Amino acid sequence: MAAQTETLLWAQKIGDKLRERRKLLGLSLENLSRLSGSTVPTLSHIERGTRDVKLSTLVSMAAALRIDLSELFVENRTTHVNREPQSGAVGYDLDDD
Protein backbone atom coordinates (compact mmCIF):
# COMPACT_ATOMS: atom_id res chain seq x y z
CA MET A 1 0.00 0.00 0.00
CA ALA A 2 2.82 2.43 0.82
CA ALA A 3 4.48 1.82 -2.56
CA GLN A 4 1.22 2.57 -4.36
CA THR A 5 0.80 5.81 -2.38
CA GLU A 6 4.38 6.81 -3.21
CA THR A 7 3.77 6.09 -6.91
CA LEU A 8 0.64 8.25 -6.94
CA LEU A 9 2.48 11.04 -5.15
CA TRP A 10 5.26 11.02 -7.74
CA ALA A 11 2.77 10.86 -10.60
CA GLN A 12 1.10 14.00 -9.26
CA LYS A 13 4.41 15.84 -8.77
CA ILE A 14 5.55 15.01 -12.30
CA GLY A 15 2.17 15.93 -13.74
CA ASP A 16 2.26 19.28 -11.95
CA LYS A 17 5.72 20.03 -13.34
CA LEU A 18 4.66 19.11 -16.87
CA ARG A 19 1.55 21.31 -16.68
CA GLU A 20 3.53 24.21 -15.22
CA ARG A 21 6.12 23.99 -18.00
CA ARG A 22 3.44 23.68 -20.72
CA LYS A 23 1.70 26.79 -19.43
CA LEU A 24 4.99 28.67 -19.10
CA LEU A 25 5.59 28.03 -22.79
CA GLY A 26 2.04 29.11 -23.64
CA LEU A 27 1.08 25.74 -25.08
CA SER A 28 -2.39 24.22 -25.00
CA LEU A 29 -2.89 20.50 -24.52
CA GLU A 30 -3.70 20.36 -28.24
CA ASN A 31 -0.37 22.00 -29.09
CA LEU A 32 1.53 19.62 -26.81
CA SER A 33 -0.34 16.71 -28.35
CA ARG A 34 0.89 17.68 -31.80
CA LEU A 35 4.45 18.20 -30.57
CA SER A 36 4.73 15.07 -28.44
CA GLY A 37 2.61 12.58 -30.38
CA SER A 38 0.39 11.80 -27.37
CA THR A 39 -3.36 12.30 -27.37
CA VAL A 40 -4.98 15.17 -25.48
CA PRO A 41 -6.80 12.80 -23.07
CA THR A 42 -3.53 10.99 -22.32
CA LEU A 43 -1.73 14.27 -21.65
CA SER A 44 -4.56 15.46 -19.43
CA HIS A 45 -4.42 12.27 -17.35
CA ILE A 46 -0.64 12.53 -17.06
CA GLU A 47 -0.82 16.15 -15.90
CA ARG A 48 -3.41 15.21 -13.27
CA GLY A 49 -1.29 12.26 -12.12
CA THR A 50 -4.07 9.77 -12.79
CA ARG A 51 -2.33 7.68 -15.43
CA ASP A 52 0.70 5.44 -15.43
CA VAL A 53 3.01 6.82 -18.05
CA LYS A 54 5.62 5.05 -20.15
CA LEU A 55 9.16 6.37 -20.15
CA SER A 56 9.00 6.91 -23.91
CA THR A 57 5.97 9.18 -23.42
CA LEU A 58 7.79 11.20 -20.76
CA VAL A 59 10.80 11.52 -23.07
CA SER A 60 8.58 12.81 -25.89
CA MET A 61 6.82 15.25 -23.58
CA ALA A 62 10.08 16.54 -22.10
CA ALA A 63 11.51 17.07 -25.58
CA ALA A 64 8.38 18.91 -26.71
CA LEU A 65 8.50 21.07 -23.58
CA ARG A 66 12.24 21.66 -23.97
CA ILE A 67 13.10 20.45 -20.51
CA ASP A 68 15.63 17.89 -19.37
CA LEU A 69 13.85 14.69 -18.37
CA SER A 70 15.75 14.54 -15.08
CA GLU A 71 14.15 17.82 -13.96
CA LEU A 72 10.83 16.02 -13.65
CA PHE A 73 12.24 13.87 -10.86
CA VAL A 74 13.96 16.59 -8.84
CA GLU A 75 12.34 17.20 -5.48
CA ASN A 76 12.68 19.86 -2.79
CA ARG A 77 14.65 22.39 -4.75
CA THR A 78 14.03 24.98 -7.41
CA THR A 79 14.19 23.44 -10.86
CA HIS A 80 14.45 24.74 -14.38
CA VAL A 81 10.71 24.14 -14.77
CA ASN A 82 10.06 27.50 -13.13
CA ARG A 83 12.57 29.45 -15.21
CA GLU A 84 11.80 31.35 -18.33
CA PRO A 85 12.78 29.48 -21.49
CA GLN A 86 16.35 30.13 -22.52
CA SER A 87 16.99 32.33 -25.53
CA GLY A 88 16.19 30.48 -28.72
CA ALA A 89 13.89 28.09 -26.87
CA VAL A 90 10.67 29.97 -27.54
CA GLY A 91 8.54 29.89 -30.61
CA TYR A 92 6.96 26.85 -32.12
CA ASP A 93 5.91 26.47 -35.70
CA LEU A 94 2.73 24.52 -35.12
CA ASP A 95 1.66 24.81 -38.76
CA ASP A 96 4.18 22.18 -39.90
CA ASP A 97 2.32 18.89 -40.18
Side-chain angles (χ1 to χ4, degrees):
M1 186 75 141
Q4 184 179 14
T5 301
E6 184 73 14
T7 300
L8 293 173
L9 183 64
W10 272 103
Q12 183 63 54
K13 289 177 185 180
I14 291 169
D16 289 345
K17 288 182 181 187
L18 290 167
R19 180 185 306 106
E20 184 179 344
R21 180 65 179 182
R22 176 179 59 79
K23 289 184 175 187
L24 177 70
L25 293 174
L27 296 171
S28 66
L29 282 172
E30 291 81 11
N31 297 146
L32 183 55
S33 173
R34 290 176 61 194
L35 293 166
S36 68
S38 294
T39 66
V40 170
T42 295
L43 295 173
S44 179
H45 282 287
I46 291 168
E47 285 189 356
R48 289 188 317 238
T50 60
R51 181 171 205 148
D52 240 351
V53 59
K54 295 188 307 185
L55 180 59
S56 60
T57 302
L58 279 180
V59 169
S60 295
M61 290 180 71
L65 294 171
R66 297 175 176 163
I67 185 173
D68 189 81
L69 183 64
S70 66
E71 292 297 324
L72 298 176
F73 300 94
V74 175
E75 187 177 34
N76 295 329
R77 68 178 187 148
T78 303
T79 67
H80 297 289
V81 173
N82 297 320
R83 291 193 332 191
E84 289 296 320
Q86 296 178 355
S87 62
V90 294
Y92 283 98
D93 184 4
L94 295 172
D95 292 326
D96 289 345
D97 286 331

